């Protein structure tokens, strides 16, 4: 029986530091690495990143869009990344941000969270903006298979405010509602629940302003926005306050820009992990 995702992530963060390396093979990065903008270039890029950081960081987060844009050959590379994560003992957070009505969500859950599916990593990013309850099939399958979810709560982009900071008739913000639903699913789990939230490292004091109680979530907090989007150690410490031990900082371009040299990628990932650890200790 696989241990729950929350426990596996907590152990990985203790061992390697609170950093997730995002695998976002942008056209501009393929070019900078001297690779063609096709499935062969994508494969070389993604497997070089796995070679550099596999077994050395807590998690990797392949961004599905950059694989899907190469069609079925790109999706096959995404499957190889999932397998490489499993082989190296590095957790794979599939960043596909799925969200749909419940009956369709069940099919997404089968694709990304079911044992034996080639696209099933250890966790999946999901969007709750069709209603948190629409995610139930993913919640159920994640919990029963030892996997996790990261539910978008306070995203790193400024356009997210209009939805996430909006208030219900009762005056509660949408973000606070989402955080409370995740907290209920993680109640009493030790050391960390498996239903995490996405809270951008760039959001400043948004958690306080929206009434989101991050510490009460008792689950992992994926914090993208580190590096290329401008957040650093100071922002991490400011945004997360007393919830720091739950945070998994995420950086994609900030690390990937060091490639294609494997040693340079390793050094960049180590530096980012050490900085995150210092900021969140
Ligand atoms: O879910 C995410 O990972 C995510 C949520 C969010 O609020 N903001 C955000 O940037 N992301 C993702 O995190 C990655 C950020 O990449 P960099 O800006 O290059 O570090 C991209 O893959 C985004 O899709």
């Amino acid at each position: 029986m696989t241990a729950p995702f929350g426990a596996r992530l907590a152990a990985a963060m203790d061992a390697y530091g609170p950093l997730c390396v995002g695998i976002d093979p942008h056209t501009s990065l393929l070019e900078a690495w001297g690779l063609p903008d096709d499935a062969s270039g994508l494969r070389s890029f993604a497997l070089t990143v796995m070679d550099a950081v596999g077994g050395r960081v807590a998690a990797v987060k392949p961004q599905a869009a950059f694989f899907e844009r190469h069609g079925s050959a790109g999706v096959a590379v995404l499957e190889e990344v999932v397998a490489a994560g499993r082989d190296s003992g590095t957790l794979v957070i599939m960043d596909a941000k799925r969200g749909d009505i419940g009956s369709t969500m069940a099919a997404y859950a089968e694709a990304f969270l079911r044992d034996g599916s080639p696209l099933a990593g250890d966790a999946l990013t999901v969007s709750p903006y069709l209603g948190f309850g629409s995610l139930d099939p993913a919640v159920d399958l994640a919990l029963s298979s030892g996997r996790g979810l990261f539910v978008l709560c306070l995203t790193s982009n400024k356009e997210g405010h209009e939805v996430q900071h909006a208030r219900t008739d009762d005056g509660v913000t949408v973000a606070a509602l989402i955080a409370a639903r995740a907290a209920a699913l993680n109640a009493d789990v030790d050391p960390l629940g498996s239903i995490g939230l996405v809270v951008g490292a760039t959001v400043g004091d948004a958690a306080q302003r929206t009434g989101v109680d991050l510490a009460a979530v008792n689950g992992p907090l994926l914090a993208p926005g580190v590096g290329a989007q401008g957040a650093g150690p100071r922002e991490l410490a400011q945004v997360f306050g007393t919830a720091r031990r739950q945070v998994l900082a995420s950086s994609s371009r900030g690390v990937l820009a060091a490639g294609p040299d494997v040693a340079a990628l390793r050094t960049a990932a180590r530096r980012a992990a050490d900085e995150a650890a210092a900021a969140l200790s």
Side-chain angles (χ1 to χ4, degrees), residues 3-24:
F5 173 71
R8 293 190 290 130
L9 178 61
M13 292 201 291
D14 283 347
Y16 303 110
L19 180 76
C20 170
V21 174
I23 307 180
D24 295 44

Side-chain angles (χ1 to χ4, degrees), residues 94-250:
M94 180 62 73
D95 190 2
K97 295 194 183 63
R98 293 311 200 250
D100 209 318
I101 62 166
S103 51
T104 304
M105 198 61 216
Y108 280 134
E110 296 253 306
F112 293 108
L113 300 164
R114 177 179 50 88
D115 284 343
S117 167
L119 286 172
D122 298 281
L124 173 69
T125 56
V126 290
S127 169
Y129 296 108
L130 271 74
F132 198 98
S134 67
L135 300 177
D136 281 352
V139 170
D140 292 347
L141 194 50
L143 295 181
S144 67
S145 70
R147 293 189 172 82
L149 298 180
F150 285 98
V151 183
L152 298 179
C153 181
L154 288 165
T155 58
S156 69
N157 60 321
K158 62 180 185 333
E159 303 87 350
H161 293 195
E162 67 198 38
V163 177
Q164 297 151 16
H165 294 211
R167 291 181 188 268
T168 66
D169 292 344
D170 304 330
V172 180
T173 65
V174 170
L177 211 76
I178 290 163
R181 295 292 287 272
L185 291 165
N186 294 325
D188 301 326
V189 180
D190 182 57
L192 211 53
S194 295
I195 307 302
L197 295 181
V198 176
V199 177
T202 54
V203 302
D205 63 353
Q208 292 93 305
R209 282 191 288 127
T210 54
V212 171
D213 185 347
L214 293 172
V217 171
N218 192 36
L221 303 170
L222 180 70
V226 173
Q229 293 177 50
R234 198 161 49 93
E235 287 74 18
L236 280 172
Q238 181 206 350
V239 170
F240 293 99
T242 58
R244 289 175 196 192
R245 74 167 186 97
Q246 295 156 247
V247 175
L248 178 64
S250 189

